[in-house]
C-alpha cells in the first residue's frame, strides 16, 4: 500500500467515524427533545387537572333567580330595583350608578369621589340611585357580589344604606375574587353603625338570604339594558335622552358637576 493510499484510507475512516458520531448525537438530541415534550405535556395536564379539580370541588351554589314578586328592601325602586339616596326633587337629574361590590374600579371610585357623589345628592343637585349588579361573580369562584348586595339590602332596612355601601368598598379585598365571608358581611353591619335590636334583625335578614331575588332582579336589568361594565353612570331626566357617564367623569368632582350642568341645559 502506498503512502498516498494509506492517507486516503485514514481520511475515509475518520469521516466515517465522524458521521457515526454525528448520527449518535442526533439520536441523543432527538430523544432528549422527545422526553422534554413528554414532560411539558405531563406538567400542563397536571396543572390544568389541578385547576379543574379545584373549581369542581369549590363550585358555588346556584345563583338566585329573578322574581318579579321578590321582597324589596325599604324604599327600593320597584321599577329599576335601584337604591335611592337623598331627597332631591324630580326637577333635578337622577344619577343612576351601576356598581359591583367586587369591582376594583368601583372601589377606587368610592374612595376618590364617593362622598362627592353623595354630597351632590345631599345638596339636592342630583337624585342618586345606586344600582347593584353581580357580573363579577361569573368570573370568580364565589358569589360574593351577590352575598354583599343581599346584606346591603338588610342594612338598607336598618337605615344604613350609605354607611354599609361605604363600608363594603372600604373593606374590599386587595385581590379581585377573594370575596368576603358571611362573618365579615355581618361585621360590616356593626361597622356601619347597626346596633341592638336593629342588628339582630339585620343578622336574621342576612342569614335568611332575604334579598337574594331582589339582587337577581337588579342583575337581570343590568344584562337586559346592556350596561358596558362597572362603574357606569347614567344621567336620567324626564324629556331628555339618558346620558352615559364614564369612570373618568364620575371620578372627577369638577367633571361630574360639569356633566350634570350640561345635561340640565340640553
Amino acid at each position: 500500500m502506498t503512502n498516498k493510499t494509506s492517507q486516503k484510507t485514514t481520511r475515509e475512516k475518520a469521516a466515517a467515524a465522524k458521521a457515526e458520531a454525528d448520527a449518535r448525537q442526533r439520536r441523543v438530541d432527538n430523544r432528549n427533545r422527545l422526553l422534554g415534550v413528554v414532560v411539558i405535556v405531563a406538567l400542563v395536564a397536571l396543572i390544568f387537572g389541578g385547576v379543574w379539580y379545584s373549581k369542581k370541588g369549590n363550585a358555588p351554589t346556584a345563583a338566585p333567580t329573578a322574581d318579579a314578586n321578590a321582597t324589596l328592601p325599604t324604599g327600593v325602586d320597584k321599577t329599576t330595583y335601584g337604591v335611592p339616596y337623598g331627597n332631591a326633587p324630580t326637577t333635578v337629574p337622577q344619577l343612576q350608578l351601576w356598581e359591583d361590590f367586587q369591582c376594583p374600579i368601583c372601589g377606587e371610585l368610592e374612595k376618590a369621589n364617593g362622598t362627592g357623589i353623595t354630597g351632590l345628592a345631599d345638596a339636592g343637585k342630583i337624585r342618586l340611585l345606586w344600582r347593584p349588579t353581580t357580573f363579577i361573580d361569573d368570573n370568580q369562584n364565589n358569589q360574593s357580589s351577590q352575598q354583599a348586595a343581599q346584606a346591603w339590602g338588610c342594612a338598607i332596612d336598618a337605615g344604613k344604606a350609605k354607611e354599609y355601601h361605604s363600608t363594603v368598598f372600604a373593606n374590599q379585598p386587595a385581590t379581585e375574587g377573594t370575596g368576603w365571608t358571611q362573618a365579615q358581611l355581618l361585621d360590616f353591619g356593626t361597622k356601619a353603625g347597626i346596633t341592638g335590636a336593629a342588628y339582630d334583625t339585620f343578622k336574621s335578614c342576612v342569614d335568611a338570604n332575604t334579598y337574594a331575588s331582589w339582587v337577581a332582579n337588579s342583575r337581570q336589568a343590568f344584562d337586559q339594558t346592556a350596561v358596558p361594565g362597572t362603574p357606569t353612570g347614567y344621567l336620567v331626566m324626564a324629556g331628555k335622552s339618558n346620558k352615559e357617564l364614564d369612570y373618568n367623569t364620575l371620578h372627577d368632582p369638577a367633571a361630574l358637576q360639569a356633566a350634570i350642568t350640561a345635561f340640565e341645559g340640553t
Side-chain angles (χ1 to χ4, degrees):
M1 180 182 296
T2 64
N3 185 54
K4 186 174 181 179
T5 301
S6 176
Q7 290 176 351
K8 180 180 179 180
T9 301
T10 301
R11 285 196 299 271
E12 290 175 346
K13 288 182 178 180
K18 184 177 184 304
E20 178 61 26
D22 290 343
R24 284 197 301 270
Q25 186 61 50
R26 282 195 297 271
R27 288 194 294 272
V28 171
D29 291 343
N30 289 337
R31 182 184 61 192
N32 289 342
R33 279 194 291 269
L34 179 60
L35 287 173
V37 169
V38 170
V39 169
I40 291 172
V41 170
L43 287 173
V44 169
L46 180 62
I47 291 170
F48 278 94
V51 170
W52 174 84
Y53 178 81
S54 175
K55 288 182 177 179
K56 181 175 183 292
N58 295 284
T61 57
T65 57
D67 178 0
N69 298 314
T71 301
L72 304 179
T74 304
V76 163
D77 185 84
K78 295 180 180 179
T79 302
T80 63
Y81 304 109
V83 181
Y85 176 81
N87 297 298
T90 57
T91 53
V92 302
Q94 181 183 68
L95 173 59
Q96 297 189 7
L97 183 57
W98 284 102
E99 298 174 308
D100 186 312
F101 277 123
Q102 286 196 95
C103 164
I105 306 301
C106 297
E108 291 179 11
L109 174 61
E110 176 66 22
K111 182 178 180 180
N113 198 29
T115 56
I117 292 172
T118 54
L120 289 171
D122 290 333
K125 295 183 178 180
I126 59 168
R127 291 172 291 129
L128 178 58
L129 188 73
W130 283 303
R131 303 195 67 176
T133 187
T134 60
F135 75 101
I136 289 182
D137 284 350
D138 298 349
N139 302 319
Q140 305 298 339
N141 195 27
N142 61 43
Q143 286 188 17
S144 276
S145 296
Q146 171 77 32
Q147 295 293 333
Q150 291 175 199
W152 184 33
C154 300
I156 292 167
D157 284 347
K160 297 296 183 179
K162 175 185 175 182
E163 293 82 357
Y164 196 87
H165 176 273
S166 299
T167 299
V168 176
F169 278 124
N171 291 276
Q172 194 178 66
T175 303
E176 181 182 345
T178 302
W180 304 274
T181 64
Q182 186 87 336
Q184 287 176 307
L185 294 173
L186 290 171
D187 182 57
F188 294 162
T190 301
K191 287 182 168 64
I194 306 173
T195 59
Y199 180 82
D200 294 339
T201 300
F202 164 77
K203 183 178 185 304
S204 296
C205 176
V206 173
D207 289 342
N209 295 321
T210 302
Y211 293 122
S213 289
W214 160 60
V215 178
N217 286 341
S218 188
R219 166 62 191 276
Q220 184 179 73
F222 174 82
D223 292 336
Q224 291 176 341
T225 53
V227 181
T230 57
T232 297
Y234 293 94
L235 290 174
V236 178
M237 198 170 180
K240 297 179 183 289
S241 299
N242 294 354
K243 172 66 175 178
E244 182 179 330
L245 303 179
D246 61 14
Y247 171 77
N248 290 331
T249 300
L250 294 167
H251 180 274
D252 185 334
L256 178 56
Q257 180 60 69
I260 294 168
T261 300
F263 181 73
E264 289 180 298
T266 57

